[in-house]
Amino acid sequence: MLTRKAVEDFIPAAGGAYDVIVAGGGPAGLGAALASAGNGAKTLLLESRGFLGGVGSLALWMPMNRLFAGGASRGGIHEKFVRKILSYGKDASVPGEESFTAGDNLDIHPDYLRLAAYELLEEAGCYYRLYSPVTGVLMDGKKITGVVVNGKNGREEYRAKVMIDATGDGDLAFFAGAEIVEGREEDGIHMPLALVFAIANVDEEKFYAFFADKEKYRTVLKEAREEGYLTAAWYAFDRTTLPGVVSVNNGGIYNIGNLDGKDARDLTVAERMGSKAAMDFITFARRKIPGMETCRLARLGSAVAVRDTRRIVGDYTLTVEDARTGPYFDDAVARKFGSIDANQLYVGEMKSGFHYPYRCMLPKGIENLLAAGRCGSATFLGHAAGKSMGNMMALGQGAGVAAALSARFNTAPRSLDVKLVQKALADMGVDLAVKEKPV
């Protein structure tokens, strides 16, 4: 039986010293924390929200794409995660759709996802704290030595040998003074912010039969806009674990302009207008969309979903050409599967399963810090290439292994022999497809 003491054993008192601190509890942060703890490091995961899972939790059954590779296990943390979700039975997940941009996925009930995160962290012996926003870092010259949390209790300091920035927004790197880039190179445009929602009382078979005719669906959306309804730029619909409930992803409010996913004002605008757009969708869907004649709003997502903000400038910058051609990288610590998806800004093909180099995790000029997930070093489209949650978990996993080994050998991540990381990943069942360099 679960007891308060058993839980509190994993939730340390304020402050303390660790081998590795991971900031951010989304897919990248979970991958990092689980891999770090699993490789023997005393690890603490700090999350600013009141739940773990990131977009996977707040976005209501949004597909966690690329949890598998061609239907097969990706080994390592992915295998542990999938096994945990499947252990809960059919209430927890259903297979998601397979499409050009989505696939090898599960549509996971957000609350089972949160439970899975707790149980996996505890099984790995990883400490965690929620409601713990990192608002600063501790520095010794250019070396990061800890983080500052400012929650309801005021300032708290946590120290570690190595820090992993899995905040998505690159908060630790920014606070440490690392060089940062944002948005599309030519104009600073960001991918859209989206407030997702779920609708109930849907005749799913009737609806999906209609939705298969994309021309009819686009006509409905055009008519809704002409009639004055607030709509998203696009909608995607996913099955859920609940009968008659459909999850609705979207591309942000139609013609809203550029929004910055780390700016409180822009986030508030997206929340406010997203709420109205969800209500408007229900109104016009009842009139215009077969299968939704009696639909009702089940709930809004827990927060706006953010697709891109800050990216570090690292020892290597991943480009869209890297994604398209899939070059050999002898320091690969992860692979990214899928397609290039910057939403309505750009969608295109890439070499699925291409190498992700370790150098993309190393902020130039800053020591003892690894950037994992969407804040890694990449161009705008380089990040958009394989930005699915399963791939972010893989990037976190690579960073977590590297951080644990750096702490064990008391060496800076930049000085760590990457072959040690690759061997540890292979021992975890991860196939990096790292072969001898082609002649």
Side-chain angles (χ1 to χ4, degrees):
M1 185 178 81
L2 188 65
T3 65
R4 174 173 175 170
K5 183 182 183 309
V7 170
E8 286 185 336
D9 284 346
F10 291 98
I11 308 172
Y18 298 85
D19 294 324
V20 176
I21 289 175
V22 180
L30 288 172
L34 292 170
S36 174
N39 278 272
K42 182 183 179 183
T43 304
L44 172 65
L45 174 61
L46 296 170
E47 167 56 45
S48 61
R49 303 183 194 271
F51 58 86
L52 299 167
V55 172
S57 290
L58 66 86
L60 305 177
W61 292 274
M62 181 186 288
M64 291 193 71
N65 295 319
R66 314 305 164 189
L67 290 175
F68 310 92
S73 171
R74 292 184 69 167
I77 301 306
H78 293 80
E79 185 168 328
K80 290 179 182 293
F81 177 78
V82 169
R83 188 186 305 128
K84 175 63 71 175
I85 294 295
L86 295 181
S87 74
Y88 299 137
K90 63 182 181 180
D91 290 339
S93 69
V94 295
E97 69 162 343
E98 296 286 332
S99 69
F100 178 69
T101 56
D104 273 334
N105 55 30
L106 292 173
D107 296 348
I108 303 173
H109 191 303
D111 298 320
Y112 281 94
L113 174 53
R114 296 181 191 189
L115 176 62
Y118 294 132
E119 293 186 347
L120 286 166
L121 290 169
E122 290 161 5
E123 289 165 8
C126 183
Y127 299 97
Y128 59 87
R129 283 176 65 95
L130 306 180
Y131 303 102
S132 299
V134 174
T135 58
V137 296
L138 305 174
M139 300 291 293
D140 179 5
K142 290 294 184 178
K143 180 170 68 174
I144 184 169
T145 60
V147 299
V148 176
V149 168
N150 270 292
K152 297 291 186 181
N153 294 329
R155 180 185 173 96
E156 301 169 349
E157 295 183 358
Y158 300 83
R159 297 180 182 273
K161 297 177 180 178
V162 183
M163 259 61 62
I164 298 176
D165 190 336
T167 62
D169 295 327
D171 292 341
L172 269 65
F174 175 75
F175 295 140
E179 186 178 354
I180 297 291
V181 294
E182 293 189 44
R184 191 165 59 182
E185 287 76 12
E186 58 267 34
D187 53 16
I189 294 293
H190 290 283
M191 297 180 217
L193 305 179
L195 184 63
V196 304
F197 54 96
I199 53 179
N201 209 31
V202 176
D203 183 331
E204 295 179 68
E205 300 314 311
K206 185 177 178 182
F207 164 68
Y208 282 111
F210 165 79
F211 186 60
D213 188 333
K214 295 299 188 290
E215 190 59 39
K216 286 184 179 179
Y217 169 72
R218 282 191 288 268
T219 298
V220 165
L221 206 54
K222 182 174 181 291
E223 290 174 351
R225 287 173 183 152
E226 290 172 348
E227 292 174 17
Y229 291 105
L230 190 64
T231 76
W234 54 262
Y235 296 95
F237 304 92
D238 295 292
R239 296 183 187 273
T240 75
T241 54
L242 303 177
V245 176
V246 172
S247 179
V248 188
N249 190 7
N250 65 79
I253 305 302
Y254 182 67
N255 278 348
I256 198 173
N258 193 29
L259 292 173
D260 183 346
K262 58 180 174 43
D263 182 89
R265 190 181 193 192
D266 284 1
L267 287 165
T268 304
V269 167
E271 292 274 1
R272 170 66 180 91
M273 296 186 71
S275 298
K276 181 63 164 63
M279 309 306 175
D280 279 8
F281 180 88
I282 297 297
T283 303
F284 73 73
R286 286 173 176 169
R287 292 177 44 231
K288 296 175 176 292
I289 300 180
M292 292 191 175
E293 293 87 350
T294 59
C295 71
R296 299 188 178 195
L297 181 66
R299 63 160 297 175
L300 300 173
S302 303
V304 166
V306 179
R307 293 178 169 96
D308 80 290
T309 51
R310 301 186 187 106
R311 306 185 303 277
I312 68 164
V313 176
D315 290 357
Y316 184 85
T317 299
L318 189 77
T319 70
V320 69
E321 287 308 309
D322 291 332
R324 288 172 177 150
T325 61
Y328 170 89
F329 288 113
D330 60 7
D331 66 335
V333 292
R335 297 170 68 190
K336 295 181 79 177
F337 295 84
S339 62
I340 304 167
D341 178 16
N343 291 276
Q344 67 262 38
L345 299 176
Y346 181 86
V347 176
E349 294 184 357
M350 70 183 204
K351 188 168 183 178
S352 187
F354 71 86
H355 280 173
Y356 187 88
Y358 180 55
R359 288 165 291 161
C360 290
M361 299 179 175
L362 300 170
K364 281 187 175 180
I366 303 296
E367 297 299 333
N368 289 2
L369 178 62
L370 292 160
R374 63 178 172 85
C375 60
S377 182
T379 64
F380 179 73
L381 289 182
H383 156 59
K387 65 178 176 62
S388 301
M389 285 183 267
N391 289 326
M392 298 302 102
M393 187 175 286
L395 271 52
Q397 175 179 248
V401 170
L405 292 174
S406 293
R408 182 189 305 171
F409 296 120
N410 200 29
T411 186
R414 184 169 270 108
S415 302
L416 182 67
D417 184 352
V418 74
K419 289 184 173 56
L420 296 174
V421 181
Q422 292 168 345
K423 182 182 183 306
L425 288 167
D427 290 344
M428 295 166 62
V430 177
D431 179 13
L432 289 175
V434 176
K435 312 296 182 185
E436 290 298 317
K437 188 171 184 177
V439 177

